[in-house]
Amino acid sequence: MKTIENLTQQAITLLKKMIETPSFSSEEDKTALLIENWFTQNEIPFKRENNNVWAFNKHFDETKPTLLLNSHHDTVKPNQGYTNDPFQAFVQDGKLFGLGSNDAGGCLVSLLATFVYFYATENLPYNCVIVASAEEESSGKNGLNNVLKHLPKLDCAIVGEPTLMQLAIAEKGLLVLDVVIKGTASHAAHHNPDNPIYNAVPVIEWFNSYKFDKISEILGPVKMTVTQINAGKQHNVVPSQCDLVVDIRVNDCYTNTEILETVRNHISAEVNPRSMHLNASSIPTNHGLVKAGIALGRTTYGSPTLSDQSVLTCQSLKLGPGETLRSHSANEFIYLNEIEEGIQLYIKILSDFFQQ
């Protein structure tokens, strides 16, 4: 069995290579090759489809339940606030800088190291499968959701996202709506009681004021926000329609289908969801993974941000080194000691979980 110290150094080396290899969503082919090389160097067979790479533990047994370890290797594009080269991996004051270091490269390499640690262990009570997924940042069609058909039934999962190694036991889902409010086009000089911009005012106010009854103990209420509005092309023409975009963060008390039905029942407009599969997720506090984390002094909370948990139907825990507030920020970084601690905690949590 490889030592934790050796695996940690390998993980940090891999992360530095990943930072210096651009991997925007749908363009992760070169970081996928780096992950392939990682598995090859550790003598672990792997599979790849598109830019997703996955592997199973050596003694996989179809009669046992299966635990998924997952994180992603795609990144957003660097924002204009960068003063560092986003593709230069360098360490300063214990911080490893570079695009994707925190979100979610540190999590991914820590989970890869953890998987290698357990890979050849005999008589595990759970199978382990790890997926280094693509297109998480864009919720693309060729990400984790497209790998699931190749995997056995999943009984539980750890999804690696920066949580300061605290236990995110619930995550809000996402429903994005395109809302079309119709009206009657006319010359602005004439009276028109059917101006779609004015018609949009009560619709916007409904999204602002409506409260869903069910409030999650962990995630709180459903949150609806109008984020875009578009209407008209010139000053003297009343347009025929006004378009809104609405961002809805769904708690674990509702399905996206239930939210959509409520919206359609309350507003006079055409409502079109961009997708329906990004659902809320949760795991009970008495689940073995959560209990193992709590026993190690970890705290539980609900996460408002979206991850690959949204495409899973099994119970899942979001957990990883790094801090979510650094994600997508300029001069992104992760502390090296966060990676070291992350690998140690992943291994300890899984060791305790397997012994329950």
Side-chain angles (χ1 to χ4, degrees), residues 197 230-241:
I197 298 175
N230 183 56
K233 293 185 178 179
Q234 59 191 73
H235 77 91
N236 58 350
V237 177
V238 174
S240 62
Q241 70 181 51

Side-chain angles (χ1 to χ4, degrees), residues 305-332:
T305 58
L306 199 68
S307 74
D308 270 332
Q309 278 185 292
S310 62
V311 302
L312 298 174
T313 56
C314 66
Q315 295 176 334
S316 58
L317 172 67
K318 185 158 71 176
L319 173 69
E323 183 176 10
T324 185
L325 294 177
R326 298 182 212 139
S327 299
H328 306 180
S329 66
N331 301 334
E332 181 181 350

Side-chain angles (χ1 to χ4, degrees), residues 69-96:
L69 305 178
N70 162 250
S71 191
H72 64 95
H73 59 104
D74 64 315
T75 72
V76 297
K77 293 186 177 180
N79 66 51
Q80 294 181 341
Y82 265 85
T83 57
N84 301 329
D85 179 350
F87 303 111
Q88 179 186 2
F90 68 95
V91 177
Q92 182 176 312
D93 299 327
K95 303 172 184 176
L96 173 57

Side-chain angles (χ1 to χ4, degrees), residues 203-324:
V203 175
I204 294 171
E205 178 54 30
W206 182 84
F207 280 115
N208 182 52
S209 61
Y210 185 82
K211 306 298 181 186
F212 285 86
D213 293 333
K214 299 176 185 177
I215 298 176
S216 168
E217 183 177 337
I218 302 297
L219 294 174
V222 173
K223 184 177 186 299
M224 299 192 294
T225 308
V226 177
T227 56
Q228 293 175 259
I229 182 169
N230 183 56
K233 293 185 178 179
Q234 59 191 73
H235 77 91
N236 58 350
V237 177
V238 174
S240 62
Q241 70 181 51
C242 179
D243 300 317
L244 309 177
V245 177
V246 185
D247 178 295
I248 305 179
R249 303 292 164 153
V250 183
N251 66 23
D252 53 335
C253 301
Y254 295 94
T255 66
N256 287 357
T257 299
E258 290 171 326
I259 298 294
L260 177 62
E261 182 179 348
T262 299
V263 172
R264 285 177 167 164
N265 287 340
H266 281 82
I267 65 172
S268 297
E270 179 184 320
V271 181
N272 300 304
R274 294 187 179 180
S275 68
M276 294 295 291
H277 68 280
L278 302 175
N279 287 291
S281 59
S282 63
I283 189 170
T285 54
N286 63 357
H287 191 280
L289 286 172
V290 181
K291 289 166 62 178
I294 292 174
L296 292 171
R298 304 290 97 186
T299 58
T300 62
Y301 73 102
S303 172
T305 58
L306 199 68
S307 74
D308 270 332
Q309 278 185 292
S310 62
V311 302
L312 298 174
T313 56
C314 66
Q315 295 176 334
S316 58
L317 172 67
K318 185 158 71 176
L319 173 69
E323 183 176 10
T324 185

